[in-house]
Every structure is written in structure tokens, then in C-alpha cells.
Amino acid sequence: MQMKKKSVPVLAALGLIMLVTAGFFGVQLLERYIPSKEQADIAELLGVKGDEVALYLNEDLQEAKGLYLQGQTYLPIELVNDMLNERFYWDSNENLLVYALPDSIVYADHSTVGDSGKPLIWVDEKGVYLSIGLVANYTDIRVTAYDSVQNKRVFINNSWDAQQKALVSEKGNVRVKGGVKSPIVTWVSPGSQVTVLESMKRWDKVRTEDGFVGYVERKQLGDVTSEVPVSTFVKPVYTSVSMNEPVCLAWHQMTNLEGNGTFDNLIANTKGVNVISPTWYELTDNEGNFRSLAQEDYVKKAHDKGLKVWALINNFSSDVNTEVLMSKTSTRRKLIEALMSEVDRYGLDGINLDFEGIKEEAGVHYIQFIRELSIPCRKKGIVLSVDNYVPAPGNHFYNRKEQGIVADYVIIMGYDEHYAGGDAGSVASINYVENGIKDTLAQVPKEKVINGIPLYTRVWTEGPDGKVASSAMGIARAKEWASENQVELYWQGELGQYYGELQTEEGLKKLWLEEERSIGLKMDLIKQYGLAGVACWKLGFEPSDLWDEIRLDKK
């Protein structure tokens, strides 16, 4: 009996402990599932302060910020160029904004105002900013601005894919993240509409009508419908000048006026050529001046033979820094006007740009030059063609996609796979050529792509000291060299070329020969991919029989 009496307090104590424990875990459970009423710090969420404007692109918050000044929002030009419209070109030398349209150029500086009477451009120590109205006027975007409130934000969309929409069925909070404990961004009311950006198990990421992005419980939304936004933007039309037949271009290299006199003999050796490109113009300084070897008689003789003349201009002079030259609007304008004077004086049919070795910093300026040059070429009905390396990570800034829009022909220099000063190897193996074509076609319509082929090869010498040297030879001379030295040639199918080697006192000489069979394979690729034509570097390097493989007019 006594032991039973003692057990009563023990049981009571145990019960109290269980009650306290249950209470503790009950509170924890309640705290876990009771929705938080904490309000999010919107300024911190958007990352803005002062006159800054948060920028959303396709509902993604951007690191870059806009500015709200004089009653309107301005966008940083870097964001505009990188994500919306690369054609807004800022000349930091002359503090000028330049926008090239298909038939005209628009200029603006810090004093230029829009219809509202407010500046179109804002320049301060942070950089260059463009009014959002200016950007929208030339760009296919939708803009929704919430810039008259305390925490300013602007939504920009350049995607025209279908959007998922839903009506709110019951009042609910929109939170920073999915979960009832996440801070509240805003709230939604029954009958309002949200754009559904992402769906999870119980929460949907949405954009609200009052301009916030956050998460709402799915049970608070009705059925989701799909809506396709409609653009009212009228895109500029870049018309092109076309030969209306396959192009068979031959570059005619010359370094002095006497070179013009070789035209008759060189062209007599060809078959099927319909475009001649004499290397007449070379830039001589950073002020837009150039050397000219042009002659009226040359053009007349070419025209009499039914050939178009696309005069070439290059940047090969060591006195030329392409970035410095092209980065001044006044210099580009001077150069373009001078080239157009040459077109008029000599009756040229086209301009061929051969700008090589430029650095990435010069790329944006070079592309702007092409845009601006295309305008008078388009008006005069003459061809603008641009020479390019085979696409590689180190030359992406040549911006072939933009070239393919504003220029008439984009030419691949499908050679120099191995070049002087590098390792020994083929000048243009078949895979190298095909990859160059495929990579260019990923950016340029086939109707504008011309593939360049080499009428030369290299004889390489690997010396006893391990050093490698080479000498370029025309195909005709390379054949003679192989024959004179009794070099046995072997066909290498993976390269699409004959290979031979010769041991000499100088070292081991190696030759990957370009000839009828290898050139024929390259021409097959041009036809297979439906390209606009072929360009040949250079006239005079080839045996006459080679043109039977090159000509595109043969049946």
C-alpha cells in the first residue's frame, strides 16, 4: 500500500513533463505553419537606392540599374547593347550617339531632346544612359514602367513567346520565396490577373499587376491560360544587292599601278569568273586616308568581258590602328564619302572589305563602319562584301550575324588553317573548310555566303634545330616543285589532299598539295550547302585546267 502511494507524485510529474513537451512541440508546430506577416524590404529586394530603377528583363531582375531623372527612366547603354539592341553605337571620342538605319543615320548628343522636351541621352561619371522611350522607338520590346512610385522598377520584355496567365481566385500574399515563412512582397485580390513564370508543387512564381515578382500559393489561383503577346513594332528592312547568279570571284592582288597591266593575261587563263576584285585601296593612316591604284581602263576592260568589279580595301599598313580609325564617327564618315567618290569616278560595281588582324576592342567600331557603309552602297545599288576568317572563338567579334543582315555577301577566307610562323600542316583541309562553312551558316543566310578557296599551298621545312619555316607557292608552281624533286604524293582522305615529303640538307620538307582533286572537293561543299558562290585567292597562282573544277556555270 505504501509503494502505491509513492507512485502518485511520480505519475503526476511524468504527466506534467509530457504536457510541457507536447506544448513545446505544439508551439513549434504552430510557428512552423502559421504564415509570417513580415513585410519584405522592397528597396533591399530590388537592390535600388536614390534615383536608381530596378530593371527586369523577361521577368528576371538584372544586376544593372536604370536611372530616373527629369521624370523619365534611362537605361545603361551596356545593357541595351548586350541584351536589347546592339545598334545603339556610342562614340566616346566625339560624345555622339549613332544609330544606323537601312537608309539613313540618326545622330544624337547630350543636347538632343525627345518629343517630351527631355534629353534622350544622359551622360555622367557612371556612364552613358539612353531614355527608355528612345530604346523602345527602335527596338522590338514591351515596356511596363512602375517608376512613379517609391521603389522604382521597369519590366522590359523582348520575348514574344506565349505567356501563362491566371486569375486570382482568393486573396493571398505574394512572398519572396515559396513558403509561408518567407517575407511578403505584395498581395493579390480576387479577379486580378498574374503572369505565371514557374510552377512548383504548391507554389507558383508570378508577376503581379502591380509590378512585383514573387511566389503565391497555387490554391489561390484559377485555371491557367496561354496568351501570345502581339508586337506592333515595324522592323527595318535591309534590302540586299544580289548577283542573281552564283558568284565566281577572283582576287587580283597588286602592289603598284603597273599591276593593272597584268589583267588581260591573268583573266585569259580563267573560266567562269564573273567578279574581279583588284586590291586597289589600302588605308594609310588613322584619319581615313588611303592609297589608290584604281584605273578607269581596268574597269572598262573588265566590264567589256562581262565582269563586275568589286574593289578591295584593306587595313594592312602598320601605320593603321583599326580601333583608333574606326572609333571616330567623323573619320568613318570621311572614309565612306571618299570610297563613294571612287565608286562614282571609276564606275565600280562593289566594295570588298578585307580588314584582318583587328583586336576585339576594334570589333564594335568595325561593325558600325560596315553598317554605315552599307547605306550609300544600298542607295547606289552596288555590292558590299566582307571578308572573314573561318569562325573561331578568338574572332567572334567580327559579328558575322550583323554582317549577314547589313552587307550583301559574307566571304569566308577558307584557308590559312596552317600559316607562316605556325606549325606545319594543310592550308585548307576538307574538314576545316566544311566546319568554316557550317559555323558561318549558323549566323548568315546561305544566299549571302561565299566560300574562299586557296589557289596556293605551302612547302614546309622542319630544320635539324626543330624550327619550322614555310614558303607559299601557287598551285602551278607547287606541282612543278613536286615533279622536279620527284616527291611521291599520297592521297590523305581525311584531309582531302595529296601529301608528300622530301629529306634535304635544309631539313624535312612537307607538302600538302592543293590541286584539281582537293579543289573539286571544296567546290562540292559549296554546292552541297547551297552557297552564293566561290572566291579565289589569288589570280595567277593557278594552272588553267583548275578552272574546270572551280567554275560554277558548268553543267
Side-chain angles (χ1 to χ4, degrees):
M1 293 294 293
Q2 212 169 0
M3 289 190 61
K4 290 182 180 178
K5 287 180 180 179
K6 288 183 178 179
S7 66
V8 172
V10 174
L11 291 172
L14 289 173
L16 181 61
I17 291 171
M18 291 177 64
L19 185 62
V20 170
T21 302
F24 173 78
F25 285 106
V27 170
Q28 292 293 312
L29 197 63
L30 287 173
E31 286 185 356
R32 181 178 178 183
Y33 289 104
I34 291 176
S36 169
K37 295 182 180 180
E38 178 189 357
Q39 299 295 311
D41 185 329
I42 302 301
E44 181 180 347
L45 184 67
L46 298 177
V48 295
K49 57 185 178 180
D51 295 326
E52 292 180 338
V53 181
L55 303 176
Y56 285 86
L57 177 59
N58 298 323
E59 282 69 51
D60 289 329
L61 182 62
Q62 303 298 302
E63 184 177 347
K65 307 300 176 189
L67 291 180
Y68 187 76
L69 302 165
Q70 299 188 18
Q72 65 180 0
T73 292
Y74 291 83
L75 305 178
I77 193 169
E78 293 85 3
L79 178 138
V80 174
N81 286 159
D82 292 343
M83 299 184 176
L84 301 176
N85 187 339
E86 64 178 321
R87 292 180 184 148
F88 285 100
Y89 173 85
W90 177 250
D91 181 340
S92 60
N93 292 300
E94 299 175 349
N95 293 319
L96 190 64
L97 182 72
V98 186
Y99 196 92
L101 293 162
D103 56 0
S104 63
I105 301 176
V106 179
Y107 300 97
D109 59 22
H110 69 280
S111 66
T112 308
V113 298
D115 294 336
S116 65
K118 299 173 183 177
L120 293 176
I121 306 169
W122 190 271
V123 184
D124 62 18
E125 66 280 358
K126 294 180 181 178
V128 179
Y129 295 80
L130 310 181
S131 74
I132 200 164
L134 172 64
V135 176
N137 194 44
Y138 292 100
T139 312
D140 193 9
I141 57 176
R142 307 188 303 282
V143 176
T144 309
Y146 303 88
D147 53 8
S148 60
V149 296
Q150 181 178 359
N151 297 302
K152 297 174 175 55
R153 54 206 182 274
V154 168
F155 286 82
I156 304 169
N157 289 80
N158 63 355
S159 170
W160 298 94
D161 295 336
Q163 292 187 317
Q164 305 305 304
K165 302 284 187 177
L167 289 176
V168 177
S169 57
E170 59 181 85
K171 184 177 179 180
N173 293 319
V174 179
R175 299 181 180 273
V176 174
K177 296 180 180 180
V180 295
K181 291 303 182 182
S182 183
I184 298 169
V185 179
T186 186
W187 59 90
V188 288
S189 302
S192 62
Q193 188 181 62
V194 297
T195 302
V196 180
L197 307 177
E198 180 184 347
S199 292
M200 299 188 299
K201 188 174 182 180
R202 292 181 51 221
W203 295 78
D204 283 352
K205 184 179 181 181
V206 300
R207 169 182 161 184
T208 65
E209 288 182 335
D210 59 346
F212 288 102
V213 173
Y215 290 83
V216 65
E217 288 189 89
R218 179 175 296 172
K219 66 182 182 180
Q220 294 165 342
L221 303 180
D223 293 336
V224 175
T225 60
S226 181
E227 293 183 12
V228 179
V230 178
S231 172
T232 59
F233 181 75
V234 180
K235 294 183 179 180
V237 177
Y238 291 85
T239 57
S240 297
V241 180
S242 172
M243 285 278 290
N244 295 319
E245 63 176 326
V247 175
C248 186
L249 177 150
W251 280 295
H252 181 187
Q253 185 185 32
M254 59 186 78
T255 56
N256 51 51
L257 284 170
E258 287 70 30
N260 288 288
T262 64
F263 170 79
D264 290 317
N265 288 336
L266 291 178
I267 205 67
N269 195 50
T270 68
K271 298 174 186 176
V273 174
N274 55 14
V275 177
I276 188 81
S277 181
T279 61
W280 273 347
Y281 303 117
E282 180 171 282
L283 292 163
T284 55
D285 56 32
N286 295 328
E287 301 303 319
N289 298 304
F290 54 81
R291 176 205 69 181
S292 172
L293 301 177
Q295 285 187 351
E296 293 178 15
D297 185 54
Y298 186 104
V299 177
K300 183 180 185 303
K301 288 193 292 185
H303 285 171
D304 287 345
K305 292 182 180 295
L307 303 179
K308 302 291 185 181
V309 180
W310 298 357
L312 179 149
I313 180 168
N314 68 50
N315 66 334
F316 295 173
S317 170
S318 59
D319 295 325
V320 173
N321 181 314
T322 305
E323 180 184 2
V324 173
L325 168 65
M326 293 294 173
S327 63
K328 292 183 180 179
T329 299
S330 58
T331 305
R332 293 194 308 275
R333 187 185 303 159
K334 172 186 173 181
L335 174 56
I336 291 169
E337 289 175 354
L339 287 173
M340 291 304 103
S341 294
E342 293 290 297
V343 168
D344 293 339
R345 177 179 175 182
Y346 295 104
L348 303 179
D349 306 292
I351 296 291
N352 177 234
L353 301 181
D354 188 18
F355 281 59
E356 300 183 28
I358 68 174
K359 297 181 179 179
E360 184 167 5
E361 294 76 17
V364 64
H365 310 299
Y366 178 50
I367 290 300
Q368 182 63 18
F369 170 67
I370 296 174
R371 291 190 191 106
E372 294 174 7
L373 177 60
S374 76
I375 297 170
C377 288
R378 196 171 291 114
K379 289 181 177 179
K380 291 178 179 291
I382 66 167
V383 168
L384 174 59
S385 60
V386 187
D387 303 339
N388 290 271
Y389 298 113
V390 166
N395 60 42
H396 63 92
F397 53 85
Y398 273 81
N399 199 343
R400 294 163 185 80
K401 181 178 179 181
E402 187 74 351
Q403 288 187 33
I405 294 172
V406 303
D408 299 303
Y409 290 105
V410 175
I411 301 178
I412 310 167
M413 295 184 290
Y415 37 80
D416 277 350
E417 177 182 3
H418 294 86
Y419 47 86
D423 296 332
S426 169
V427 165
S429 67
I430 196 64
N431 287 334
Y432 176 79
V433 173
E434 183 167 20
N435 288 336
I437 291 173
K438 291 194 293 187
D439 291 344
T440 300
L441 289 177
Q443 303 174 72
V444 184
K446 64 181 182 179
E447 296 80 12
K448 289 192 171 188
V449 176
I450 296 172
N451 188 62
I453 61 173
L455 303 185
Y456 70 95
T457 189
R458 289 186 177 276
V459 174
W460 301 86
T461 304
E462 295 181 352
D465 56 1
K467 292 183 178 180
V468 178
S470 70
S471 59
M473 291 184 183
I475 290 177
R477 176 66 192 116
K479 281 184 166 186
E480 292 174 359
W481 180 87
S483 177
E484 291 168 356
N485 290 279
Q486 298 181 345
V487 176
E488 191 169 355
L489 299 171
Y490 301 90
W491 181 254
Q492 296 190 326
E494 70 278 11
L495 299 180
Q497 287 178 317
Y498 285 103
Y499 169 77
E501 57 186 44
L502 175 68
Q503 188 65 53
T504 70
E505 293 181 356
E506 298 177 77
L508 180 62
K509 294 186 180 291
K510 298 181 176 182
L511 170 66
W512 285 266
L513 182 65
E514 293 288 353
E515 43 66 64
E516 287 80 1
R517 187 176 177 184
S518 67
I519 293 297
L521 292 177
K522 295 173 177 60
M523 295 305 300
D524 289 343
L525 289 176
I526 290 172
K527 297 165 187 173
Q528 174 186 334
Y529 286 96
L531 304 189
V534 62
C536 308
W537 180 265
K538 65 177 182 172
L539 205 57
F541 269 176
E542 77 290 355
S544 58
D545 291 347
L546 190 66
W547 290 101
D548 290 325
E549 292 295 338
I550 296 173
R551 60 186 301 171
L552 289 162
D553 60 352
K554 66 179 181 180
K555 302 300 182 183

